[in-house]
Amino acid sequence: MTPNRFHLTGLGVTLAIGMASAAFILGYQARQAATTGQQSIEVKGLAEKPVTADHGELALTLSGQGATLPEALAALRKQRPQLEQFIQQHQFQKPDIEVDNESFEPVYKKDDEGRQTEQLDYYLARQSYTLHSKDVQRIARTEHDVLQLQEAGLPVSHEPAAYLVSNLEQVKMSLIGAATDNASSRAQEFARHGNVTVGSMRSASQGAFYILPANGQNDNSDDYGGVYDKSTINKLARVVVTVRYNLN
C-alpha cells in the first residue's frame, strides 16, 4: 500500500471511529436528557458546496525614483505609457480601471548596522492601477504577464489577485437550509442511540461561514467568525449551524 493510500485509509478509520464515538456519546446524552428532565438536545449541522468566483481584482503599482521629488515624478510619468499600453493589450477599458493619485515618500540612507539615518537617499514616487473584471481568467492572465514587464525593466509590482463571489448572501442562505437538514438527521441518529424521539426545533443559530479553497483546507489559524479565501477562483462554501431540538 502506498504512503498516500495508507494515509487516506488511516484518515477514514479515524473519521469512522470519531463519528461512532460521537453517536454513542450524544446518544448517551440524549438518554440522560430524557431521564433528568432536560428534554432537549443540541446538535451542529454542516453543509458545503463548490462555488466559483465571478469577479476579479488586480492592483498594479508603478514607481519612479529620483534625487529630487520632481525627478521622481518625472521618472514615474515617463514610464506610465508602457504600463497603460500593457493594460490596454489585456482588453481592460476605462470603466474597468481604477487609477489612484500620484504619491511619494522620501527614502533615507541606512548606516552599516541597518538603522535609518536622517540623510536623504532619494525620493520614491508611486501610482496604483486597480483592474476589475468579471472575466476572472483575464485577471489571472494579466497577473501572470506582469512578469514580462518586470523582465523588461519596468518598476511595477502587484498584490496577489483577488477572486470574489458576488452572491455570497444567496450562497449562505442555500447552505443554511441544507445545514439545518443535516442537523435534523444527526439529531435523529443521536436520539436513536438514546432510545428517545426528536420533537420540534427549539432554537437555531448560524455559526461561522467559510469560503475556502476548493480543497477545503484553511491555513488561517484565527478563523473565528469565518474565512473568506480570495486567492483562488474555484472555492468551497461551508456553513455550520447549531440547532436545539425538543425530546419526546
Side-chain angles (χ1 to χ4, degrees):
M1 181 178 292
T2 63
N4 286 338
R5 291 183 60 187
F6 178 80
H7 173 74
L8 292 174
T9 301
L11 177 60
V13 172
T14 302
L15 290 174
I17 294 174
M19 291 297 292
S21 299
F24 173 79
I25 293 171
L26 289 180
Y28 173 77
Q29 290 176 345
R31 288 196 301 272
Q32 289 295 101
T35 57
T36 59
Q38 181 181 343
Q39 297 184 344
S40 68
I41 185 172
E42 184 177 274
V43 295
K44 293 187 181 296
L46 169 70
E48 56 186 25
K49 70 177 181 179
V51 293
T52 303
D54 57 3
H55 180 81
E57 297 178 357
L58 177 64
L60 307 174
T61 301
L62 184 67
S63 61
Q65 67 180 61
T68 64
L69 176 57
E71 289 180 4
L73 290 172
L76 174 69
R77 294 164 184 168
K78 182 179 179 181
Q79 297 165 133
R80 186 183 297 155
Q82 186 177 351
L83 177 59
E84 292 180 346
Q85 181 182 14
F86 170 83
I87 293 173
Q88 292 174 0
Q89 288 174 345
H90 286 75
Q91 301 178 345
F92 288 94
Q93 306 299 322
K94 283 188 176 181
D96 306 325
I97 308 169
E98 180 183 343
V99 184
D100 291 347
N101 293 329
E102 296 173 335
S103 63
F104 71 90
E105 63 176 307
V107 179
Y108 296 91
K109 292 183 178 180
K110 294 183 178 180
D111 59 22
D112 295 338
E113 296 181 358
R115 294 174 299 189
Q116 182 176 293
T117 68
E118 296 182 356
Q119 185 178 2
L120 180 66
D121 195 358
Y122 59 88
Y123 283 91
L124 182 65
R126 294 192 182 94
Q127 189 168 28
S128 294
Y129 292 69
T130 303
L131 311 179
H132 302 267
S133 180
K134 293 182 179 180
D135 184 350
V136 293
Q137 296 300 332
R138 182 191 304 168
I139 292 290
R141 289 192 300 269
T142 304
E143 181 180 28
H144 176 270
D145 293 345
V146 170
L147 181 61
Q148 298 175 6
L149 290 178
Q150 296 169 333
E151 288 177 337
L154 190 70
V156 61
S157 60
H158 70 87
E159 297 293 329
Y163 300 101
L164 311 173
V165 180
S166 61
N167 62 336
L168 280 181
E169 191 62 27
Q170 295 177 15
V171 172
K172 183 191 297 185
M173 293 303 294
S174 67
L175 287 176
I176 287 176
T180 303
D181 291 341
N182 179 254
S184 177
S185 298
R186 292 188 178 193
Q188 296 290 346
E189 181 65 17
F190 296 149
R192 185 175 67 83
H193 285 270
N195 296 322
V196 294
T197 59
V198 177
S200 60
M201 182 187 298
R202 196 167 186 172
S203 65
S205 62
Q206 180 198 319
F209 180 49
Y210 300 89
I211 299 293
L212 304 168
N215 59 15
Q217 294 182 355
N218 174 27
D219 295 330
N220 189 346
S221 58
D222 183 18
D223 60 357
Y224 180 78
V227 172
Y228 191 174
D229 167 69
K230 300 179 181 179
S231 65
T232 59
I233 295 176
N234 298 313
K235 308 175 189 293
L236 182 71
R238 177 184 297 163
V239 72
V240 178
V241 298
T242 302
V243 185
R244 181 174 290 277
Y245 293 95
N246 289 317
L247 292 176
N248 296 326

